[in-house]
Amino acid sequence: MILRFRQSRLVCLLLVTIFAITSLAADDKAPSITHQKFETAPTNLLYFEDSDTILVQEKIKGDVWITRDAGVKWEKVSDVEGEAWEVVLHPYDNQIAFVIGVKNKHWVTHDQGLSWIAFETTIDMLPTSMPPPLSFHAGNSKKILMHAQACEGFTCNLDTFYTEDGFKTLHILREGSRACIFAHSTPQFKTNVKDKDDDRVLCIARGKFSNRLEDHRLMISDDWFLTEYEPKLEGDRTVQGILRQAAVKGFLVTAAATKGTDELALYVSDDAETWHRAEFPQSHKIKEEAYTILESTNYSIQVDVMNTRPTNPMGTLFSSNSNGTYFTELIQHTNRNLFGFVDFEKIQDIQGLMMVNVVDNYDDAVRDIKVERKIKSKISFDDGRTFEPLTADKQEVHLHSVTQLSNIGRIFSSSAPGIVMGVGNTGDSLQSYDLGDLFVSDDAGLTWRRAQKEAHKYEIGDQGSVLVAVYDEGPTDEIVYSTNHGKDWKTAKLDTKVRPRILTTTPDSTGLKFVLLATKGGGSDTEFFIYTIDFESLGLRKCGDKDFEKWYARKDAKGNPSCLMGHKQYYRRRKADADCFIDEEFKDPQPQYDVCECTKEDFECDFNYIRTESKEEPIGGCKSAETMTAPPGQCKKPEDKFKASSGFRLIPGNACKGGVDLSKEEVERPCKDTFSSPGSKEVTYKTTTFDASAFQEYYYLERTETSSGGDETVVMRTSENKVYISHDHGKTWKEIFKDVEILAIVPHQYYNDAIYFLTGDRTVHYTINRGETFDEFKAPDDPSADVRSSLGFHPDNTGWLIWTGLRDCGISSDPRKCHAVASFSKDRGDDWATLLRYVNRCEFIKSDAREKRSDQLIYCAQHQKEEPDTPLQLVSSDDFFAKTTQHFEDIVAFATMSEFIIVANKDVKDDTLQVLASIDGETFAEALFPRDFQVEHQRAYTVLDSSTHAVFLNVLVGMREDFEYGSIIKSNSNGTSYVMSINEVNRNKNGYVDFEKMLGLEGVAIVNQVQNVKDEGKTNTKKLKSLMTHNDGAQWAPIQAPSKDSEGKSYDCSINKVSECSLNLHGYTERRDSRDTFSSPTAVGLMMGVGNVGAVLGPKAKANTFLTKDGGITWAEVMKGNYMWEYGDQGSIIVIVEEDVATDHVFYTLDEGATWERHEFAKESLNVLAITTMPSDNSRNFLLWARSSESQGKIMSINLDFTGLRDRQCTLDAEQPNGDYTLWSPKHPEEEAQCLFGHITQYKRKRPEAECYNGRRFDRLYSILENCTCSRRDFECDYNYQRTGDGSCALVQGLKPQDHAQVCKDDPNRVSYYEPTGYRRIPLTTCQGGGELDYTSSEHPCPGHEEKYEEDHRGLSGFAFFLVVIVLPFAAAGGIGYLIWRNWEDKFGFGQIRLGESGGRGVFDAEQPWIHWPVIAVSGVVAVLAALPMLIGSAWRGISSLFGGNKRFTTRQSFARGRQDYAVVDLDEDELLGDEDDDIEP
């Protein structure tokens, strides 16, 4: 979001230190001119409002200077000498200013600089520029928010402070916030509740559970964040991804973004209570850094939206209704620049007048960035409804505006009524600035006259009585001025020729003093001057009543005063030829009004109505934005009509009286636009047949949570290389590129809206708006043999591309010179530059949440010495290879995952591969494999996943064709130390592995393990068994089979013996499309699969279909047979269709598989190749890709539409007892408590019985209630340890534990470390206390931290020693005795777990009287014996601690975790490392 609210006199320039004062001799008829010389350059010149007091900042020296007589005399502010970073004026109190220091010390003045008071932040932090360092309260000048940041490398942490007493005291506001503002940030904004106006603060805060940008939230507090709440921005739902917020007149505006698109959603509120999404016409989407909120009115917001490429920016101007929700187009083709500035200005203090520059040759300029723009100036006198040219002597005038600033403050106007000035030219279009002249209008832009030839800087004073200008095309020694609205001009001399830089005066243009900042000379000899020009010396009289006229601000074509907002506006203005000065310094002209009768123009569409010019709409104008509800008893037929509101309301603030009143009129509206009686309860389908032999590929371009519109776009390529697009999920299709053969479709890896179409030559077609429009570029080289691999994308900058193509590879070229070249573009293919030659692959490296990386970081695999027969080296650069860093000399490949960069490096000596990992993209560490894991000549790895702060790596072990398998090893949190997760996991010859994470739930995964490895060489048939983990691979177990099948029958095996009877599912290696997954990120806890119950996995043709609703704890068989499935509406719809069998129907469920309905989609049986829907599984539409069952059958797509089954959107309130949603917590199957990874997590899930639909995707994670105590499930075996038969971790025979003292070297701030225990925490766990298996050994101080360690481990006092060492152990002994007594069963049964036994008493029942007291006695003895070691050990530790001995430290703080939906490896994501036979060459 770019905000352009230009404070009228805020200046950024380079000027300098004071040296001497001289005075120019002036006669009685000339202004008095004085100047002071500066030696070094300041940065800001700021007027205190309604005064001649000015502050100037000297940036280089860190000094601030002040003058109280408009620049005649200056003095240094001694309090802040050498420490100033920025000077800020209070916008609502003209007595207050701030000097922001470079560290933690700052200053404030409450008396226009007469005195300064220092204040400090609690820590040494840098002030910020975005957000601004200070945010102000418009109603209380003592309430201020201060933003400051501390940066380390690329990472900055922002803190916000607040004061209620003008910085006498300063407090931290909220941790984890990015930017905060007061609700009452502008005088026009009101919350309608006074106490909320006083203290309400809005902050952009980090997400509940992560600091990723897409999770940032808007938080509101009325008590300085002692309490807070998250507002519902979209209906009944909160919105994540908040980027920016701003106060605009009477509105609050916040912008939200979503991962996967650069389109933003704007939310607007006029009371900080109720929020609405700002709706723009469908053809104009709001994109990040592509819109500018302009100077607005009290009753509307003006926004300019860029609709071209960022390198060639032009836009469209929009204006909102009075509550900021619906925007209408004012004018197209506005002129913008690369920084987001727009040639737009409202004429100050005159309602409805605005000036704008537009590009007249828009079409030509869009096609070719080199075409010179023809810029024309336009003006509107009716709030943007119409625009007309500026004219002077019947010629069009075009003026330079905001994109070419030559001065500070407003461009054209001031508070002087009707006086407007500008530099430009007459003719067809705007010429360069040095060809311009100075023009003046004294009727608010209706007519213009040439005031001065050549370009001049200009200013207005004394409410328009004095106009001052100075030549601006080079050095000059004079100024010119006019006292009759620019009709005549006089000259005043300076003492020397200078180059004018800034000409300014008081912000309200009511004074007679002007300030000119100028330079002389150049380079190191540059001199700097500040001139003060005072017109009081002209000696003109003070104006009387006869010297003023009644001047109407707006007039129609006939010259009559015109109405706007219900009134005619006029001013009491000095006549142009009056020989006098108004001389009322700091008194602003006040407008007066004549009330008008109400007309249609005084009304706007009410909330939930949209302005339209459709002739079908009553009285030409307001259409309901939502489906209307008909009155009872009406609308019996669709063709009926009913009486309803016109949709109009009087614009708030409009002063008109009488006349028409559209708000009271009723109109007839068609019944077809109302809610139908509850949904049709039908599933509809639409079939499309294609003239092709096969579907080659298809991709969805999915809208995100912030995307506008309702399209569901899919593109498809046939085997004949024809491409089709559908915007309604396959109901209708349109062929695109009819005369072009498309060889590959390449979706943008990171942005849903963009997709590229590659041809056999250098022409690349693409769309960046989900197929609304298409463009093309020419690649620098021919595409590589694998066309799809030619294009690479940047994760954050949508226009940054890498093209890897072939050079010197033509038919007539020398084959030895043929090589691959990587080039890059930063403007979506408009311009290209070479990165590297003789490359194998280049890739932009994405920043990780844990380790910020440069956005220009690129890794390449390149042949050494640029010779094709040399080994591949791994090189990187963060400046597009102006400088190159070599990491490894001989690699096979590299892979990038969500957090790690993994490299497979050749070890020539051992003829094997070496794996290395990096988090920061700079430092690599060798992966330490388990010592007992010996694989001779390791030749292939598959990187499976790294979304849980650990790398899962599958190492090829069994290499025999068709009997491949491997071992999955898992890393620590930095990817370097690996432990065995599971052996003998199934994989295929292409390196794909039967391993899949459950989407939406952390740490849950399924693998298929080869059970008959010992039969390798004897058979080609692998026997597979499915295993599941609920603790991120630390432990694996067979999947518990359901007790009954879908027909209510028992299975042929005993499900209590899971080793012989478990659920086995067909996995990743058997899929037709790698995008098909067991689970969905939006259907939390649901998972489907096909397989069988038995000892091992059977043939897929004999498989049945299974479903789990609780994250894999329990499963149910839902259908006999092998079915494909898809989730819809975030899991509230599941559709299945039989695979490899001709069929004419599907089954669907609306209650998570409790019941299933059959629906026929064809009149004949078809072979369904696939069932698909939007990747987020959020749609209620599905596509069947099918073929006729005939031998040469035609291909077709069949859309299935389930929207008619539900017509009510669910109400998102998970805490409502009988609402549409409930809270669900996953758990580990061996835990009674709902703990998974050391915490209890709650997810929002729709109740299966709720008859509603989910609608837009929302964040399923509701809360993390608490951390759990640690258990065995929170730990995995440490390096050089392995699991034993009882699940414990034992040291591998012959090996030594890893040296844990290394952690001290890795973390210089670490105070202590523990000796190895055989266990290490799973990176995901947040458990605290309990069985912390990694803290049960001796603790040692880290070198250099011995004193801190001793301080933290001082011994107990005598009394504490008595309690801990004596009392507590005996109490524990008593507790143990009690437990033994309570759990005694018989002499053989102590500690047994019995299942399903009757409650009858046995001989050794503990309640028998002859056993009761003996048990107590025995239990007491056992307890004492059992407690003796603890007593002795406790006493010894207590005594030794008194003398400085070691004491165990048994707790640790939970660490903050970033959540991330798991991304299952697919065609582009399954990173295969090391298979040397697959080395890619051009």
Side-chain angles (χ1 to χ4, degrees), residues 4 25 287 729 770 833 1458:
R4 303 298 180 215
K287 295 191 175 183
H729 212 132
R770 301 195 300 276

Side-chain angles (χ1 to χ4, degrees), residues 571-683:
Y571 283 90
R572 179 175 177 268
R573 189 175 79 165
R574 172 190 175 274
K575 296 176 182 177
D577 297 322
D579 187 21
C580 62
F581 283 145
I582 297 175
D583 199 17
E584 293 180 352
E585 196 172 21
F586 313 132
K587 184 178 180 181
D588 296 349
Q590 297 300 314
Q592 300 180 62
Y593 304 98
D594 293 336
V595 177
C596 301
E597 281 194 348
C598 297
T599 65
K600 181 180 177 181
E601 282 70 28
D602 296 307
F603 292 82
E604 68 175 3
C605 293
D606 206 346
F607 178 68
N608 278 339
Y609 287 84
I610 304 173
R611 174 77 72 173
T612 176
E613 299 301 325
S614 172
K615 295 180 180 179
E616 298 178 0
E617 286 304 314
I619 49 180
C622 291
K623 178 180 179 180
S624 177
E626 297 181 351
T627 306
M628 302 182 71
T629 301
Q634 299 192 34
C635 287
K636 296 179 180 179
K637 299 177 181 178
E639 59 269 22
D640 290 348
K641 294 185 178 181
F642 67 98
K643 288 282 188 179
S645 167
S646 67
F648 283 100
R649 71 172 180 178
L650 188 69
I651 299 172
N654 193 294
C656 71
K657 301 291 184 182
V660 302
D661 189 351
L662 300 185
S663 64
K664 295 182 179 179
E665 296 187 15
E666 285 192 340
V667 298
E668 285 190 337
R669 296 194 180 274
C671 288
K672 62 182 178 66
D673 292 342
T674 66
F675 278 116
S676 56
S677 52
S680 62
K681 301 297 182 185
E682 293 181 357
V683 179

Side-chain angles (χ1 to χ4, degrees), residues 61-128:
K61 293 184 176 180
D63 292 337
V64 177
W65 299 80
I66 189 170
T67 177
R68 294 178 177 83
D69 51 14
V72 177
K73 295 180 181 179
W74 293 85
E75 60 184 32
K76 185 185 294 186
V77 179
S78 58
D79 303 72
V80 301
E81 186 169 358
E83 298 186 59
W85 180 78
E86 185 175 354
V87 180
V88 180
L89 295 181
H90 198 297
Y92 308 118
D93 191 326
N94 67 350
Q95 298 296 308
I96 301 176
F98 307 89
V99 175
I100 308 299
V102 295
K103 293 184 179 180
N104 68 331
K105 189 176 182 180
H106 318 283
W107 295 264
V108 60
T109 177
H110 296 279
D111 51 17
Q112 291 193 353
L114 293 176
S115 62
W116 294 85
I117 302 171
F119 63 93
E120 296 184 0
T121 52
T122 55
I123 53 177
D124 188 9
M125 302 184 76
L126 295 173
T128 66

Side-chain angles (χ1 to χ4, degrees), residues 236 381 461 922 1170 1442:
D236 62 350
F381 297 94
E922 297 178 0
L1442 292 175

Side-chain angles (χ1 to χ4, degrees), residues 900-962:
F900 302 93
I901 303 169
I902 310 296
V903 178
N905 190 43
K906 289 183 181 179
D907 189 333
V908 179
K909 179 180 178 182
D910 295 330
D911 189 24
T912 186
L913 293 179
Q914 176 189 38
V915 175
L916 301 104
S918 174
I919 293 177
D920 60 11
E922 297 178 0
T923 305
F924 284 84
E926 181 180 355
L928 300 176
F929 284 6
R931 293 292 182 88
D932 60 326
F933 178 59
Q934 299 296 329
V935 180
E936 186 176 1
H937 305 307
Q938 296 170 26
R939 294 194 177 275
Y941 309 115
T942 301
V943 181
L944 299 172
D945 181 82
S946 68
S947 60
T948 54
H949 305 309
V951 176
F952 281 86
L953 196 65
N954 183 269
V955 183
L956 178 63
V957 177
M959 304 182 188
R960 191 166 65 81
E961 188 172 359
D962 295 328

Side-chain angles (χ1 to χ4, degrees), residues 38-59:
F38 286 68
E39 293 180 350
T40 59
T43 56
N44 284 327
L45 186 147
L46 301 171
Y47 271 91
F48 282 95
E49 188 81 21
D50 295 339
S51 78
D52 285 330
T53 301
I54 308 172
L55 295 174
V56 169
Q57 184 184 355
E58 191 179 3
K59 189 76 173 181

Side-chain angles (χ1 to χ4, degrees), residues 1165-1200:
S1165 293
L1166 304 173
N1167 291 320
V1168 178
L1169 308 174
I1171 177 173
T1172 65
T1173 188
M1174 306 302 290
S1176 68
D1177 300 320
N1178 191 38
S1179 173
R1180 291 188 283 168
N1181 280 262
F1182 300 80
L1183 265 180
L1184 301 179
W1185 306 86
R1187 180 191 299 279
S1188 172
S1189 56
E1190 302 171 2
S1191 59
Q1192 298 295 323
K1194 54 190 176 183
I1195 61 173
M1196 61 195 72
S1197 71
I1198 304 164
N1199 168 272
L1200 299 177

